[in-house]
Amino acid sequence: MSAGAGGGSSPHDGAVSAGAGGGSSPRGAARFSERRAYAYGVTAALLLLMLAPLFRRPPVDSFPLSTYPMFSWGRHDAQTAVERAVGVDSRGGRRPIPPRLVGSEEVLQAKATLAQSIRQGARAARALCRGIASRVAAQDGYADLVAVEIRTDTFDAVAFFEGQEAPVDSKLHATCKVGAR
């Protein structure tokens, strides 16, 4: 039987298998050590890249780590402006108009509708106000309302949640009467 016909072994078989598998030969052990060093190096580099945002000055909020600046950075005030539709009763009391009467069941869509009409100017704000007033007039739970206002109210968020719900500043964009009441 010949060596190449499957029964015997080639003189190169031992050298190839020892080198490829990283066996006990000095050459195989060196390759294994090189691969291990490469893997450790790549891991360390990726780890340093991932942690780099922590060491930037000023700190930068970035992937993959977030410093959550909206919670960790100081604010000079806690005021927020809110575009809204407000119903006014005969005694001058005010209460918010629900989003569905503004034009959408979705709160953010109703807010966007109000903000867009305010941005477009007095004519657009009055048109939206009249539409809201007609929907208010058609609803049963709003018979006490005599007017609708489109306004931007600025609130101190911290004070608001402590019970001081009155706005610290208001800007009236449009007002209109509700029905023929």
Side-chain angles (χ1 to χ4, degrees):
M1 195 182 250
S2 73
S9 64
S10 159
H12 300 289
D13 285 349
V16 170
S17 65
S24 61
S25 77
R27 187 173 161 191
R31 281 191 182 161
F32 182 72
S33 294
E34 288 172 7
R35 288 183 184 148
R36 179 182 281 176
Y38 178 76
Y40 284 140
V42 169
T43 302
L46 289 174
L47 187 61
L48 287 173
L49 282 172
M50 190 173 77
L51 294 174
L54 292 176
F55 302 105
R56 290 186 184 156
R57 295 291 174 236
V60 176
D61 187 40
S62 180
F63 176 82
L65 296 177
S66 177
T67 57
Y68 296 99
M70 70 288 275
F71 302 115
S72 63
W73 292 352
R75 291 184 58 137
H76 49 273
D77 67 23
Q79 292 187 351
T80 187
V82 180
E83 299 90 358
R84 61 191 199 144
V86 177
V88 182
D89 65 25
S90 59
R91 295 174 305 201
R94 289 177 168 74
R95 66 178 183 182
I97 301 292
R100 65 184 166 77
L101 296 179
V102 173
S104 173
E105 289 284 337
E106 297 294 328
V107 174
L108 293 178
Q109 288 177 357
K111 181 197 178 314
T113 300
L114 288 162
Q116 182 180 16
S117 73
I118 291 168
R119 259 192 327 274
Q120 291 175 345
R123 180 177 289 168
R126 281 192 305 272
L128 178 61
C129 186
R130 287 191 296 271
I132 294 170
S134 69
R135 288 188 285 278
V136 166
Q139 294 294 311
D140 285 337
Y142 299 93
D144 61 323
L145 298 182
V146 296
V148 170
E149 297 176 344
I150 304 290
R151 51 192 310 120
T152 300
D153 290 333
T154 303
F155 296 93
D156 181 323
V158 174
F160 184 88
F161 288 109
E162 290 176 346
Q164 301 168 17
E165 296 180 8
V168 294
D169 189 35
S170 292
K171 181 173 182 185
L172 182 63
H173 302 286
T175 187
C176 52
K177 294 184 188 229
V178 174
R181 297 180 203 173

PDB file of all heavy atoms in Angstrom, residues 83-122:
ATOM      1  N   GLU A  83     -48.566  75.415  25.453  1.00  0.00           N
ATOM      2  CA  GLU A  83     -49.643  75.944  24.614  1.00  0.00           C
ATOM      3  C   GLU A  83     -50.891  75.149  24.966  1.00  0.00           C
ATOM      4  O   GLU A  83     -50.846  73.925  25.018  1.00  0.00           O
ATOM      5  CB  GLU A  83     -49.332  75.757  23.122  1.00  0.00           C
ATOM      6  CG  GLU A  83     -48.092  76.455  22.647  1.00  0.00           C
ATOM      7  CD  GLU A  83     -46.840  75.600  22.752  1.00  0.00           C
ATOM      8  OE1 GLU A  83     -46.906  74.453  23.230  1.00  0.00           O
ATOM      9  OE2 GLU A  83     -45.779  76.107  22.374  1.00  0.00           O
ATOM     10  N   ARG A  84     -51.987  75.850  25.200  1.00  0.00           N
ATOM     11  CA  ARG A  84     -53.196  75.126  25.592  1.00  0.00           C
ATOM     12  C   ARG A  84     -54.455  75.899  25.273  1.00  0.00           C
ATOM     13  O   ARG A  84     -54.428  77.106  25.060  1.00  0.00           O
ATOM     14  CB  ARG A  84     -53.155  74.746  27.064  1.00  0.00           C
ATOM     15  CG  ARG A  84     -53.083  75.902  28.026  1.00  0.00           C
ATOM     16  CD  ARG A  84     -52.785  75.394  29.427  1.00  0.00           C
ATOM     17  NE  ARG A  84     -53.141  76.368  30.435  1.00  0.00           N
ATOM     18  CZ  ARG A  84     -53.638  76.087  31.614  1.00  0.00           C
ATOM     19  NH1 ARG A  84     -53.866  74.845  31.956  1.00  0.00           N
ATOM     20  NH2 ARG A  84     -53.916  77.030  32.488  1.00  0.00           N
ATOM     21  N   ALA A  85     -55.557  75.148  25.236  1.00  0.00           N
ATOM     22  CA  ALA A  85     -56.879  75.737  25.084  1.00  0.00           C
ATOM     23  C   ALA A  85     -57.539  75.678  26.452  1.00  0.00           C
ATOM     24  O   ALA A  85     -57.500  74.660  27.139  1.00  0.00           O
ATOM     25  CB  ALA A  85     -57.698  74.962  24.063  1.00  0.00           C
ATOM     26  N   VAL A  86     -58.129  76.816  26.846  1.00  0.00           N
ATOM     27  CA  VAL A  86     -58.720  76.928  28.175  1.00  0.00           C
ATOM     28  C   VAL A  86     -60.164  77.401  28.031  1.00  0.00           C
ATOM     29  O   VAL A  86     -60.449  78.326  27.265  1.00  0.00           O
ATOM     30  CB  VAL A  86     -57.910  77.937  29.030  1.00  0.00           C
ATOM     31  CG1 VAL A  86     -58.542  78.144  30.387  1.00  0.00           C
ATOM     32  CG2 VAL A  86     -56.481  77.466  29.181  1.00  0.00           C
ATOM     33  N   GLY A  87     -61.053  76.763  28.761  1.00  0.00           N
ATOM     34  CA  GLY A  87     -62.441  77.203  28.801  1.00  0.00           C
ATOM     35  C   GLY A  87     -62.639  78.182  29.945  1.00  0.00           C
ATOM     36  O   GLY A  87     -62.067  78.009  31.025  1.00  0.00           O
ATOM     37  N   VAL A  88     -63.439  79.231  29.702  1.00  0.00           N
ATOM     38  CA  VAL A  88     -63.701  80.255  30.713  1.00  0.00           C
ATOM     39  C   VAL A  88     -65.186  80.207  31.055  1.00  0.00           C
ATOM     40  O   VAL A  88     -66.045  80.256  30.164  1.00  0.00           O
ATOM     41  CB  VAL A  88     -63.328  81.664  30.183  1.00  0.00           C
ATOM     42  CG1 VAL A  88     -63.556  82.718  31.256  1.00  0.00           C
ATOM     43  CG2 VAL A  88     -61.896  81.697  29.680  1.00  0.00           C
ATOM     44  N   ASP A  89     -65.510  80.128  32.366  1.00  0.00           N
ATOM     45  CA  ASP A  89     -66.923  80.131  32.769  1.00  0.00           C
ATOM     46  C   ASP A  89     -67.386  81.559  33.046  1.00  0.00           C
ATOM     47  O   ASP A  89     -66.602  82.510  32.956  1.00  0.00           O
ATOM     48  CB  ASP A  89     -67.156  79.194  33.967  1.00  0.00           C
ATOM     49  CG  ASP A  89     -66.447  79.629  35.238  1.00  0.00           C
ATOM     50  OD1 ASP A  89     -66.160  80.827  35.414  1.00  0.00           O
ATOM     51  OD2 ASP A  89     -66.187  78.734  36.080  1.00  0.00           O
ATOM     52  N   SER A  90     -68.654  81.727  33.393  1.00  0.00           N
ATOM     53  CA  SER A  90     -69.242  83.065  33.569  1.00  0.00           C
ATOM     54  C   SER A  90     -68.646  83.831  34.753  1.00  0.00           C
ATOM     55  O   SER A  90     -68.729  85.052  34.802  1.00  0.00           O
ATOM     56  CB  SER A  90     -70.758  82.955  33.730  1.00  0.00           C
ATOM     57  OG  SER A  90     -71.064  82.150  34.854  1.00  0.00           O
ATOM     58  N   ARG A  91     -68.028  83.146  35.700  1.00  0.00           N
ATOM     59  CA  ARG A  91     -67.398  83.827  36.849  1.00  0.00           C
ATOM     60  C   ARG A  91     -65.914  84.118  36.615  1.00  0.00           C
ATOM     61  O   ARG A  91     -65.236  84.618  37.509  1.00  0.00           O
ATOM     62  CB  ARG A  91     -67.553  82.968  38.100  1.00  0.00           C
ATOM     63  CG  ARG A  91     -69.018  82.805  38.526  1.00  0.00           C
ATOM     64  CD  ARG A  91     -69.117  81.841  39.655  1.00  0.00           C
ATOM     65  NE  ARG A  91     -68.457  80.601  39.191  1.00  0.00           N
ATOM     66  CZ  ARG A  91     -68.651  79.418  39.698  1.00  0.00           C
ATOM     67  NH1 ARG A  91     -69.448  79.265  40.706  1.00  0.00           N
ATOM     68  NH2 ARG A  91     -68.046  78.362  39.216  1.00  0.00           N
ATOM     69  N   GLY A  92     -65.400  83.746  35.430  1.00  0.00           N
ATOM     70  CA  GLY A  92     -63.996  83.990  35.127  1.00  0.00           C
ATOM     71  C   GLY A  92     -63.083  82.826  35.466  1.00  0.00           C
ATOM     72  O   GLY A  92     -61.871  82.917  35.272  1.00  0.00           O
ATOM     73  N   GLY A  93     -63.668  81.756  35.970  1.00  0.00           N
ATOM     74  CA  GLY A  93     -62.865  80.562  36.262  1.00  0.00           C
ATOM     75  C   GLY A  93     -62.391  79.892  34.978  1.00  0.00           C
ATOM     76  O   GLY A  93     -63.071  79.964  33.952  1.00  0.00           O
ATOM     77  N   ARG A  94     -61.237  79.288  35.022  1.00  0.00           N
ATOM     78  CA  ARG A  94     -60.668  78.653  33.837  1.00  0.00           C
ATOM     79  C   ARG A  94     -60.411  77.172  34.095  1.00  0.00           C
ATOM     80  O   ARG A  94     -60.025  76.791  35.184  1.00  0.00           O
ATOM     81  CB  ARG A  94     -59.367  79.342  33.457  1.00  0.00           C
ATOM     82  CG  ARG A  94     -59.594  80.721  32.898  1.00  0.00           C
ATOM     83  CD  ARG A  94     -58.293  81.444  32.595  1.00  0.00           C
ATOM     84  NE  ARG A  94     -58.529  82.636  31.815  1.00  0.00           N
ATOM     85  CZ  ARG A  94     -59.049  83.754  32.294  1.00  0.00           C
ATOM     86  NH1 ARG A  94     -59.411  83.825  33.559  1.00  0.00           N
ATOM     87  NH2 ARG A  94     -59.238  84.805  31.510  1.00  0.00           N
ATOM     88  N   ARG A  95     -60.608  76.381  33.042  1.00  0.00           N
ATOM     89  CA  ARG A  95     -60.245  74.965  33.105  1.00  0.00           C
ATOM     90  C   ARG A  95     -59.783  74.512  31.720  1.00  0.00           C
ATOM     91  O   ARG A  95     -60.249  75.025  30.701  1.00  0.00           O
ATOM     92  CB  ARG A  95     -61.404  74.116  33.609  1.00  0.00           C
ATOM     93  CG  ARG A  95     -62.590  74.070  32.698  1.00  0.00           C
ATOM     94  CD  ARG A  95     -63.658  73.172  33.263  1.00  0.00           C
ATOM     95  NE  ARG A  95     -64.766  73.096  32.317  1.00  0.00           N
ATOM     96  CZ  ARG A  95     -65.850  72.429  32.530  1.00  0.00           C
ATOM     97  NH1 ARG A  95     -66.007  71.782  33.658  1.00  0.00           N
ATOM     98  NH2 ARG A  95     -66.806  72.389  31.622  1.00  0.00           N
ATOM     99  N   PRO A  96     -58.858  73.566  31.698  1.00  0.00           N
ATOM    100  CA  PRO A  96     -58.314  73.106  30.410  1.00  0.00           C
ATOM    101  C   PRO A  96     -59.370  72.415  29.559  1.00  0.00           C
ATOM    102  O   PRO A  96     -60.257  71.730  30.069  1.00  0.00           O
ATOM    103  CB  PRO A  96     -57.225  72.112  30.806  1.00  0.00           C
ATOM    104  CG  PRO A  96     -56.988  72.306  32.264  1.00  0.00           C
ATOM    105  CD  PRO A  96     -58.211  72.939  32.836  1.00  0.00           C
ATOM    106  N   ILE A  97     -59.263  72.620  28.265  1.00  0.00           N
ATOM    107  CA  ILE A  97     -60.111  71.914  27.298  1.00  0.00           C
ATOM    108  C   ILE A  97     -59.399  70.603  26.957  1.00  0.00           C
ATOM    109  O   ILE A  97     -58.201  70.613  26.676  1.00  0.00           O
ATOM    110  CB  ILE A  97     -60.294  72.765  26.019  1.00  0.00           C
ATOM    111  CG1 ILE A  97     -60.936  74.116  26.330  1.00  0.00           C
ATOM    112  CG2 ILE A  97     -61.063  72.005  24.953  1.00  0.00           C
ATOM    113  CD1 ILE A  97     -62.372  74.046  26.786  1.00  0.00           C
ATOM    114  N   PRO A  98     -60.100  69.475  26.964  1.00  0.00           N
ATOM    115  CA  PRO A  98     -59.439  68.190  26.672  1.00  0.00           C
ATOM    116  C   PRO A  98     -58.967  68.111  25.211  1.00  0.00           C
ATOM    117  O   PRO A  98     -59.544  68.751  24.331  1.00  0.00           O
ATOM    118  CB  PRO A  98     -60.513  67.152  26.966  1.00  0.00           C
ATOM    119  CG  PRO A  98     -61.796  67.876  26.970  1.00  0.00           C
ATOM    120  CD  PRO A  98     -61.517  69.301  27.287  1.00  0.00           C
ATOM    121  N   PRO A  99     -57.933  67.321  24.955  1.00  0.00           N
ATOM    122  CA  PRO A  99     -57.369  67.220  23.607  1.00  0.00           C
ATOM    123  C   PRO A  99     -58.384  66.849  22.533  1.00  0.00           C
ATOM    124  O   PRO A  99     -58.306  67.348  21.408  1.00  0.00           O
ATOM    125  CB  PRO A  99     -56.307  66.124  23.745  1.00  0.00           C
ATOM    126  CG  PRO A  99     -55.956  66.104  25.184  1.00  0.00           C
ATOM    127  CD  PRO A  99     -57.193  66.522  25.920  1.00  0.00           C
ATOM    128  N   ARG A 100     -59.359  65.998  22.844  1.00  0.00           N
ATOM    129  CA  ARG A 100     -60.321  65.582  21.821  1.00  0.00           C
ATOM    130  C   ARG A 100     -61.127  66.761  21.290  1.00  0.00           C
ATOM    131  O   ARG A 100     -61.559  66.750  20.137  1.00  0.00           O
ATOM    132  CB  ARG A 100     -61.230  64.475  22.348  1.00  0.00           C
ATOM    133  CG  ARG A 100     -62.135  64.870  23.477  1.00  0.00           C
ATOM    134  CD  ARG A 100     -62.941  63.669  24.016  1.00  0.00           C
ATOM    135  NE  ARG A 100     -63.548  63.979  25.276  1.00  0.00           N
ATOM    136  CZ  ARG A 100     -64.638  64.728  25.429  1.00  0.00           C
ATOM    137  NH1 ARG A 100     -65.255  65.203  24.375  1.00  0.00           N
ATOM    138  NH2 ARG A 100     -65.115  64.987  26.632  1.00  0.00           N
ATOM    139  N   LEU A 101     -61.343  67.795  22.111  1.00  0.00           N
ATOM    140  CA  LEU A 101     -62.074  68.974  21.647  1.00  0.00           C
ATOM    141  C   LEU A 101     -61.163  69.959  20.903  1.00  0.00           C
ATOM    142  O   LEU A 101     -61.639  70.822  20.187  1.00  0.00           O
ATOM    143  CB  LEU A 101     -62.778  69.668  22.807  1.00  0.00           C
ATOM    144  CG  LEU A 101     -63.863  68.834  23.497  1.00  0.00           C
ATOM    145  CD1 LEU A 101     -64.479  69.601  24.661  1.00  0.00           C
ATOM    146  CD2 LEU A 101     -64.919  68.392  22.513  1.00  0.00           C
ATOM    147  N   VAL A 102     -59.861  69.794  21.084  1.00  0.00           N
ATOM    148  CA  VAL A 102     -58.901  70.605  20.321  1.00  0.00           C
ATOM    149  C   VAL A 102     -58.801  70.065  18.907  1.00  0.00           C
ATOM    150  O   VAL A 102     -58.592  70.819  17.962  1.00  0.00           O
ATOM    151  CB  VAL A 102     -57.522  70.625  21.007  1.00  0.00           C
ATOM    152  CG1 VAL A 102     -56.478  71.310  20.142  1.00  0.00           C
ATOM    153  CG2 VAL A 102     -57.626  71.308  22.359  1.00  0.00           C
ATOM    154  N   GLY A 103     -58.973  68.752  18.764  1.00  0.00           N
ATOM    155  CA  GLY A 103     -58.948  68.178  17.428  1.00  0.00           C
ATOM    156  C   GLY A 103     -58.322  66.806  17.333  1.00  0.00           C
ATOM    157  O   GLY A 103     -58.237  66.247  16.253  1.00  0.00           O
ATOM    158  N   SER A 104     -57.875  66.228  18.457  1.00  0.00           N
ATOM    159  CA  SER A 104     -57.271  64.900  18.433  1.00  0.00           C
ATOM    160  C   SER A 104     -57.382  64.254  19.810  1.00  0.00           C
ATOM    161  O   SER A 104     -57.269  64.925  20.818  1.00  0.00           O
ATOM    162  CB  SER A 104     -55.799  64.998  18.042  1.00  0.00           C
ATOM    163  OG  SER A 104     -55.180  63.747  18.168  1.00  0.00           O
ATOM    164  N   GLU A 105     -57.552  62.949  19.808  1.00  0.00           N
ATOM    165  CA  GLU A 105     -57.544  62.199  21.067  1.00  0.00           C
ATOM    166  C   GLU A 105     -56.138  62.164  21.668  1.00  0.00           C
ATOM    167  O   GLU A 105     -55.969  61.982  22.864  1.00  0.00           O
ATOM    168  CB  GLU A 105     -58.022  60.759  20.846  1.00  0.00           C
ATOM    169  CG  GLU A 105     -59.501  60.638  20.549  1.00  0.00           C
ATOM    170  CD  GLU A 105     -60.367  60.814  21.783  1.00  0.00           C
ATOM    171  OE1 GLU A 105     -59.894  60.602  22.916  1.00  0.00           O
ATOM    172  OE2 GLU A 105     -61.536  61.181  21.608  1.00  0.00           O
ATOM    173  N   GLU A 106     -55.127  62.313  20.828  1.00  0.00           N
ATOM    174  CA  GLU A 106     -53.733  62.242  21.256  1.00  0.00           C
ATOM    175  C   GLU A 106     -53.279  63.585  21.816  1.00  0.00           C
ATOM    176  O   GLU A 106     -53.383  64.620  21.157  1.00  0.00           O
ATOM    177  CB  GLU A 106     -52.823  61.845  20.088  1.00  0.00           C
ATOM    178  CG  GLU A 106     -53.115  60.471  19.541  1.00  0.00           C
ATOM    179  CD  GLU A 106     -52.819  59.370  20.534  1.00  0.00           C
ATOM    180  OE1 GLU A 106     -51.902  59.513  21.355  1.00  0.00           O
ATOM    181  OE2 GLU A 106     -53.525  58.354  20.478  1.00  0.00           O
ATOM    182  N   VAL A 107     -52.742  63.580  23.012  1.00  0.00           N
ATOM    183  CA  VAL A 107     -52.313  64.797  23.700  1.00  0.00           C
ATOM    184  C   VAL A 107     -51.256  65.550  22.894  1.00  0.00           C
ATOM    185  O   VAL A 107     -51.356  66.762  22.706  1.00  0.00           O
ATOM    186  CB  VAL A 107     -51.780  64.459  25.114  1.00  0.00           C
ATOM    187  CG1 VAL A 107     -51.198  65.677  25.782  1.00  0.00           C
ATOM    188  CG2 VAL A 107     -52.883  63.848  25.954  1.00  0.00           C
ATOM    189  N   LEU A 108     -50.244  64.839  22.411  1.00  0.00           N
ATOM    190  CA  LEU A 108     -49.165  65.507  21.686  1.00  0.00           C
ATOM    191  C   LEU A 108     -49.626  66.054  20.338  1.00  0.00           C
ATOM    192  O   LEU A 108     -49.138  67.092  19.890  1.00  0.00           O
ATOM    193  CB  LEU A 108     -47.965  64.575  21.515  1.00  0.00           C
ATOM    194  CG  LEU A 108     -47.249  64.214  22.811  1.00  0.00           C
ATOM    195  CD1 LEU A 108     -46.104  63.260  22.553  1.00  0.00           C
ATOM    196  CD2 LEU A 108     -46.758  65.462  23.523  1.00  0.00           C
ATOM    197  N   GLN A 109     -50.568  65.385  19.691  1.00  0.00           N
ATOM    198  CA  GLN A 109     -51.099  65.916  18.434  1.00  0.00           C
ATOM    199  C   GLN A 109     -51.912  67.179  18.694  1.00  0.00           C
ATOM    200  O   GLN A 109     -51.836  68.147  17.932  1.00  0.00           O
ATOM    201  CB  GLN A 109     -51.940  64.871  17.718  1.00  0.00           C
ATOM    202  CG  GLN A 109     -51.103  63.759  17.125  1.00  0.00           C
ATOM    203  CD  GLN A 109     -51.954  62.691  16.470  1.00  0.00           C
ATOM    204  OE1 GLN A 109     -53.180  62.722  16.497  1.00  0.00           O
ATOM    205  NE2 GLN A 109     -51.290  61.720  15.859  1.00  0.00           N
ATOM    206  N   ALA A 110     -52.687  67.187  19.763  1.00  0.00           N
ATOM    207  CA  ALA A 110     -53.446  68.387  20.116  1.00  0.00           C
ATOM    208  C   ALA A 110     -52.495  69.532  20.455  1.00  0.00           C
ATOM    209  O   ALA A 110     -52.708  70.681  20.031  1.00  0.00           O
ATOM    210  CB  ALA A 110     -54.372  68.097  21.297  1.00  0.00           C
ATOM    211  N   LYS A 111     -51.427  69.236  21.181  1.00  0.00           N
ATOM    212  CA  LYS A 111     -50.426  70.259  21.507  1.00  0.00           C
ATOM    213  C   LYS A 111     -49.785  70.804  20.236  1.00  0.00           C
ATOM    214  O   LYS A 111     -49.587  72.007  20.089  1.00  0.00           O
ATOM    215  CB  LYS A 111     -49.360  69.684  22.431  1.00  0.00           C
ATOM    216  CG  LYS A 111     -48.306  70.711  22.830  1.00  0.00           C
ATOM    217  CD  LYS A 111     -47.085  70.054  23.390  1.00  0.00           C
ATOM    218  CE  LYS A 111     -45.983  71.008  23.762  1.00  0.00           C
ATOM    219  NZ  LYS A 111     -45.658  72.026  22.814  1.00  0.00           N
ATOM    220  N   ALA A 112     -49.458  69.917  19.295  1.00  0.00           N
ATOM    221  CA  ALA A 112     -48.857  70.347  18.029  1.00  0.00           C
ATOM    222  C   ALA A 112     -49.826  71.217  17.233  1.00  0.00           C
ATOM    223  O   ALA A 112     -49.414  72.203  16.606  1.00  0.00           O
ATOM    224  CB  ALA A 112     -48.425  69.136  17.211  1.00  0.00           C
ATOM    225  N   THR A 113     -51.108  70.884  17.258  1.00  0.00           N
ATOM    226  CA  THR A 113     -52.117  71.694  16.577  1.00  0.00           C
ATOM    227  C   THR A 113     -52.161  73.095  17.165  1.00  0.00           C
ATOM    228  O   THR A 113     -52.190  74.105  16.440  1.00  0.00           O
ATOM    229  CB  THR A 113     -53.504  71.021  16.686  1.00  0.00           C
ATOM    230  OG1 THR A 113     -53.431  69.734  16.074  1.00  0.00           O
ATOM    231  CG2 THR A 113     -54.591  71.848  16.033  1.00  0.00           C
ATOM    232  N   LEU A 114     -52.170  73.182  18.482  1.00  0.00           N
ATOM    233  CA  LEU A 114     -52.172  74.494  19.151  1.00  0.00           C
ATOM    234  C   LEU A 114     -50.904  75.278  18.828  1.00  0.00           C
ATOM    235  O   LEU A 114     -50.970  76.465  18.476  1.00  0.00           O
ATOM    236  CB  LEU A 114     -52.302  74.310  20.666  1.00  0.00           C
ATOM    237  CG  LEU A 114     -53.670  73.860  21.159  1.00  0.00           C
ATOM    238  CD1 LEU A 114     -53.576  73.297  22.569  1.00  0.00           C
ATOM    239  CD2 LEU A 114     -54.654  75.009  21.098  1.00  0.00           C
ATOM    240  N   ALA A 115     -49.750  74.628  18.926  1.00  0.00           N
ATOM    241  CA  ALA A 115     -48.475  75.307  18.668  1.00  0.00           C
ATOM    242  C   ALA A 115     -48.398  75.808  17.232  1.00  0.00           C
ATOM    243  O   ALA A 115     -47.941  76.927  16.972  1.00  0.00           O
ATOM    244  CB  ALA A 115     -47.308  74.372  18.971  1.00  0.00           C
ATOM    245  N   GLN A 116     -48.874  74.998  16.284  1.00  0.00           N
ATOM    246  CA  GLN A 116     -48.842  75.408  14.883  1.00  0.00           C
ATOM    247  C   GLN A 116     -49.745  76.607  14.630  1.00  0.00           C
ATOM    248  O   GLN A 116     -49.361  77.543  13.936  1.00  0.00           O
ATOM    249  CB  GLN A 116     -49.252  74.244  13.982  1.00  0.00           C
ATOM    250  CG  GLN A 116     -49.203  74.584  12.506  1.00  0.00           C
ATOM    251  CD  GLN A 116     -49.605  73.415  11.635  1.00  0.00           C
ATOM    252  OE1 GLN A 116     -50.193  72.447  12.108  1.00  0.00           O
ATOM    253  NE2 GLN A 116     -49.285  73.500  10.362  1.00  0.00           N
ATOM    254  N   SER A 117     -50.937  76.611  15.203  1.00  0.00           N
ATOM    255  CA  SER A 117     -51.839  77.750  14.992  1.00  0.00           C
ATOM    256  C   SER A 117     -51.266  79.024  15.609  1.00  0.00           C
ATOM    257  O   SER A 117     -51.384  80.107  15.038  1.00  0.00           O
ATOM    258  CB  SER A 117     -53.239  77.461  15.537  1.00  0.00           C
ATOM    259  OG  SER A 117     -53.243  77.494  16.951  1.00  0.00           O
ATOM    260  N   ILE A 118     -50.595  78.900  16.740  1.00  0.00           N
ATOM    261  CA  ILE A 118     -49.970  80.064  17.378  1.00  0.00           C
ATOM    262  C   ILE A 118     -48.824  80.587  16.517  1.00  0.00           C
ATOM    263  O   ILE A 118     -48.692  81.793  16.297  1.00  0.00           O
ATOM    264  CB  ILE A 118     -49.494  79.702  18.807  1.00  0.00           C
ATOM    265  CG1 ILE A 118     -50.704  79.480  19.713  1.00  0.00           C
ATOM    266  CG2 ILE A 118     -48.574  80.782  19.367  1.00  0.00           C
ATOM    267  CD1 ILE A 118     -50.373  78.846  21.050  1.00  0.00           C
ATOM    268  N   ARG A 119     -48.020  79.655  15.974  1.00  0.00           N
ATOM    269  CA  ARG A 119     -46.903  80.054  15.104  1.00  0.00           C
ATOM    270  C   ARG A 119     -47.397  80.749  13.838  1.00  0.00           C
ATOM    271  O   ARG A 119     -46.745  81.647  13.319  1.00  0.00           O
ATOM    272  CB  ARG A 119     -46.082  78.820  14.701  1.00  0.00           C
ATOM    273  CG  ARG A 119     -44.821  78.631  15.446  1.00  0.00           C
ATOM    274  CD  ARG A 119     -43.900  77.575  14.839  1.00  0.00           C
ATOM    275  NE  ARG A 119     -44.526  76.448  14.173  1.00  0.00           N
ATOM    276  CZ  ARG A 119     -44.938  75.343  14.770  1.00  0.00           C
ATOM    277  NH1 ARG A 119     -44.784  75.202  16.065  1.00  0.00           N
ATOM    278  NH2 ARG A 119     -45.482  74.365  14.082  1.00  0.00           N
ATOM    279  N   GLN A 120     -48.539  80.314  13.325  1.00  0.00           N
ATOM    280  CA  GLN A 120     -49.069  80.873  12.084  1.00  0.00           C
ATOM    281  C   GLN A 120     -49.698  82.245  12.278  1.00  0.00           C
ATOM    282  O   GLN A 120     -50.021  82.911  11.299  1.00  0.00           O
ATOM    283  CB  GLN A 120     -50.073  79.916  11.445  1.00  0.00           C
ATOM    284  CG  GLN A 120     -49.412  78.669  10.902  1.00  0.00           C
ATOM    285  CD  GLN A 120     -50.408  77.665  10.371  1.00  0.00           C
ATOM    286  OE1 GLN A 120     -51.608  77.739  10.626  1.00  0.00           O
ATOM    287  NE2 GLN A 120     -49.903  76.693   9.635  1.00  0.00           N
ATOM    288  N   GLY A 121     -49.915  82.655  13.514  1.00  0.00           N
ATOM    289  CA  GLY A 121     -50.392  84.003  13.770  1.00  0.00           C
ATOM    290  C   GLY A 121     -51.819  84.073  14.288  1.00  0.00           C
ATOM    291  O   GLY A 121     -52.507  83.065  14.478  1.00  0.00           O
ATOM    292  N   ALA A 122     -52.267  85.320  14.505  1.00  0.00           N
ATOM    293  CA  ALA A 122     -53.559  85.589  15.145  1.00  0.00           C
ATOM    294  C   ALA A 122     -54.729  85.009  14.360  1.00  0.00           C
ATOM    295  O   ALA A 122     -55.670  84.469  14.953  1.00  0.00           O
ATOM    296  CB  ALA A 122     -53.738  87.087  15.341  1.00  0.00           C
TER     297      ALA A 122
END
